[in-house]
Amino acid sequence: MNGQPFIGHPSLCYMPTSSHATNSLRRVATAAILIALGNIASRVVGLLRESVIAGTFGRSATVDAFTAASSLTTILYDLLISGAISAALVPIFSEYAEHDEPTLWRVASTIITLAMLVVGVLIALIAWQAPLAVTILAGGFEPAIREQAISMVRLLLPSVLLIGLSGLITALLQARQRFLLPAFTTSAYNLGIILGIVLLTQFFGPLSLVVGVVIGALCQVLLQLPGLRGAQFRPALELHHPGVRRILKLYAPVALGISFSVVGIVLDRNLASQVGQNALSTMRYATTLIQLPLGLVAAAVSFAILPTLARQSERDEAGFRSTLAMGLKVVLLLMLPATAGLLALAEPIVRLLFERRSFTAQDTLATAQALRLYLPGLPAAGLDQVLLFAFYARKRTLAPNLVQGAAIVCYVLTALGLLNFTTLRIEALVLGNSAQWIAHLVILAILARGLIDLRGQRIGEAVLKGVIAAIGVLLIAWLVSQALAPFGALVQVAVAAICSGIAYLGLCLLLRVEAIGFMLKALRRRPIAETQTE
């Protein structure tokens, strides 16, 4: 199959040459929409969470301490569970889920048992050495902030066990083409944090943040349990099983790559603790807005296509290329206008979401500036996630994770260079992150040329048309925002978003952007039988 399987206007595309390829793309589109709906809910609740944190604690030392402490739990989850989900668990679980359900549960039982044992040991170790961990992560903290961070680390550790278990359940459900419940786990987590702050701050003060995290982690597990009905889980350690050995083999390079990421996180947090008070909280609020399009677009598309890519990789090369290409084009379609809109509306968006009570106008200006400097790397981060999952579907996990080491070097050179030779402080760290994301995509794309043949898929055409349409979004959003500045942030953001969104849709149709036809067709189509939603 030489053409691109695309369902839309015939003048915009090549028609599919097999019903199997068409169904695969429909399955991906349906899954992506389901995940996107869950992500919309989770990101909206996540914004509400950050708004509640900002209004209650502001851009303060308390939020700095919580950000540093929660970074440690995130590192543990990413290192032991998160990276394994997409690189090893979903691809291998998907194979067994399709043909051999009893073996799926044998392998899953061993993986879950092993993961929980390792997480438990590390939790005990970090509880013992919490002061050392905080010193490594945030050595620039003043003594009072450091002590607060140590207390938070110890109280946060039980959540790692719960979040890890939730991640393993997510992998099982996604491998079985059940996307609905996993898509809403983040919403449950964020709601837990909000409840902790709103209901418990008067009793526990800043520690209400920590209690909320534990509540949210528990909610993640409880939400997904109905999806496991009929599960045949038994605690086991069949380390000799071929499926278990394949997962561990695939995961080993991922652990290496995540280790590089851990080095980057530690450097970033440590430097932020030294460049000035409130740096960590400023970066936290700005990255919340960066994570919104990444979660709604890149994560939704990536997790939707991974099981399909894993199946196509072994027996349907044309389908694999078409699925991956459409995934990249959909990410471009949505990430480029999101980047342009955030650039044009950075200040009114931050003011609308965060500026109240403890979060002042000065905090808004500082956060908006950080947000703008993150944006150059945003489209790269979105495309990078899709391409990374394509490597994982090929069972190639070493090369993309070695790339992370090179990207971290780019971060270090950029951030330290700007810190040493300019007057930039927090700005140097943010630009270092943008440089890291761009470097990772560029290097990964170069490596992908020898593994994934995307010639004839018109990716360059999609980039060019998307950039042209996004420039239109930027200009219209900025002009409308400036004209409506006297009417307040809500009017600025709402009207500018509507006007620029309509303009972008019109420009995409005018330019005959392929992905827009595909998404419009997918939105009109009911979920097909192949995609299970529960």
Side-chain angles (χ1 to χ4, degrees):
M1 184 174 61
N2 296 322
Q4 300 178 55
F6 170 70
I7 307 166
H9 195 283
S11 65
L12 303 182
C13 59
Y14 299 104
M15 295 301 290
T17 58
S18 74
S19 60
H20 177 73
T22 303
N23 285 340
S24 293
L25 281 178
R26 283 192 214 159
R27 186 186 301 114
V28 168
T30 304
I33 291 169
L34 288 173
I35 295 173
L37 289 174
N39 278 338
I40 289 170
S42 68
R43 299 299 165 171
V44 168
V45 180
L47 285 176
L48 178 60
R49 176 201 69 198
E50 293 302 306
S51 179
V52 171
I53 292 174
T56 305
F57 302 107
R59 196 170 57 101
S60 64
T62 290
V63 180
D64 285 353
F66 175 70
T67 302
S70 58
S71 294
L72 185 57
T73 60
T74 300
I75 286 171
L76 286 177
Y77 173 71
D78 287 346
L79 184 60
L80 299 175
I81 306 296
S82 180
I85 291 174
S86 53
L89 298 182
V90 172
I92 301 301
F93 286 170
S94 294
E95 293 179 9
Y96 290 121
E98 190 173 14
H99 302 296
D100 191 352
E101 189 85 0
T103 302
L104 166 66
W105 291 112
R106 284 183 62 193
V107 173
S109 294
T110 292
I111 293 299
I112 292 173
T113 303
L114 179 62
M116 292 298 98
L117 286 174
V118 173
V119 170
V121 170
L122 288 177
I123 284 175
L125 180 62
I126 292 174
W128 173 43
Q129 290 294 332
L132 176 61
V134 170
T135 298
I136 294 172
L137 263 176
F141 277 168
E142 296 179 359
I145 305 175
R146 180 176 179 274
E147 290 303 315
Q148 188 177 47
I150 291 170
S151 298
M152 288 181 168
V153 164
R154 288 181 169 138
L155 292 171
L156 280 169
L157 288 174
S159 69
V160 180
L161 198 67
L162 293 168
I163 295 172
L165 180 59
S166 173
L168 293 168
I169 297 173
T170 293
L172 276 167
L173 295 182
Q174 288 181 345
R176 302 175 76 198
Q177 300 284 306
R178 296 179 176 180
F179 296 98
L180 186 61
L181 294 178
F184 287 92
T185 55
T186 306
S187 294
Y189 175 78
N190 290 330
L191 282 171
I193 297 176
I194 292 170
L195 288 174
I197 297 170
V198 172
L199 300 179
L200 302 176
T201 297
Q202 58 180 324
F203 304 109
F204 300 113
L207 292 181
S208 62
L209 286 162
V210 177
V211 178
V213 169
V214 177
I215 294 172
L218 178 61
C219 290
Q220 284 188 308
V221 175
L222 296 177
L223 175 66
Q224 294 186 96
L225 288 181
L228 291 178
R229 60 181 180 273
Q232 304 167 31
F233 171 77
R234 294 183 182 87
L237 279 175
E238 295 185 49
L239 300 180
H240 63 280
H241 192 285
V244 174
R245 295 175 66 180
R246 288 176 67 200
I247 287 173
L248 295 177
K249 183 178 179 180
L250 288 171
Y251 171 66
V254 177
L256 176 64
I258 295 176
S259 297
F260 290 132
S261 297
V262 168
V263 172
I265 292 171
V266 170
L267 285 172
D268 191 52
R269 299 296 186 268
N270 198 289
L271 289 171
S273 71
Q274 298 179 47
V275 299
Q277 190 173 353
N278 305 335
L280 274 173
S281 53
T282 303
M283 294 165 69
R284 176 192 181 92
Y285 295 129
T287 52
T288 296
L289 297 174
I290 291 295
Q291 290 298 325
L292 181 64
L294 284 177
L296 292 179
V297 179
V301 174
S302 299
F303 280 108
I305 69 173
L306 180 58
T308 299
L309 288 177
R311 290 176 169 85
Q312 292 175 332
S313 178
E314 300 296 332
R315 61 175 186 263
D316 184 5
E317 181 62 23
F320 181 93
R321 294 171 61 236
S322 298
T323 300
L324 175 59
M326 187 55 70
L328 291 170
K329 291 173 187 176
V330 170
V331 168
L332 279 169
L333 173 73
L334 300 175
M335 291 297 287
L336 289 174
T339 303
L342 285 171
L343 180 60
L345 302 172
E347 192 173 318
I349 286 175
V350 173
R351 181 177 299 111
L352 175 64
L353 294 174
F354 301 135
E355 191 177 308
R356 59 186 57 84
R357 295 163 55 195
S358 297
F359 199 94
T360 66
Q362 183 180 358
D363 296 330
T364 292
L365 295 176
T367 304
Q369 178 63 10
L371 172 61
R372 294 187 190 100
L373 297 178
Y374 275 121
L375 290 174
L378 180 56
L383 291 172
D384 185 75
Q385 187 166 347
V386 178
L387 200 55
L388 183 67
F389 277 28
F391 273 84
Y392 291 165
R394 292 284 204 202
K395 314 296 191 301
R396 303 292 181 88
T397 58
L398 179 58
N401 286 286
L402 289 175
V403 171
Q404 184 64 15
I408 294 299
V409 171
C410 186
Y411 165 80
V412 171
L413 293 176
T414 303
L416 292 182
L418 291 172
L419 282 172
N420 290 331
F421 298 107
T422 70
T423 58
L424 299 176
R425 308 306 292 167
I426 183 177
E427 297 87 353
L429 306 184
V430 176
L431 288 171
N433 278 290
S434 289
Q436 175 186 335
W437 297 338
I438 294 170
H440 197 286
L441 174 65
V442 170
I443 300 171
L444 194 63
I446 292 171
L447 293 177
R449 294 180 65 184
L451 180 68
I452 304 166
D453 184 7
L454 290 178
R455 288 176 296 180
Q457 299 294 330
R458 298 156 60 192
I459 301 296
E461 175 187 323
V463 172
L464 179 60
K465 290 180 177 180
V467 169
I468 292 172
I471 291 173
V473 169
L474 176 64
L475 293 175
I476 291 173
W478 185 82
L479 290 172
V480 172
S481 173
Q482 294 301 304
L484 296 177
F487 297 94
L490 177 60
V491 174
Q492 277 183 283
V493 173
V495 177
I498 292 171
C499 292
S500 58
I502 293 172
Y504 184 70
L505 178 61
L507 286 169
C508 286
L509 293 173
L510 181 65
L511 293 169
R512 296 191 171 185
V513 173
E514 185 180 12
I516 193 73
F518 176 76
M519 290 301 294
L520 290 175
K521 189 72 175 180
L523 288 170
R524 291 196 298 267
R525 188 179 297 275
R526 293 182 299 175
I528 60 173
E530 292 93 335
T531 302
Q532 300 183 54
T533 60
E534 61 179 11

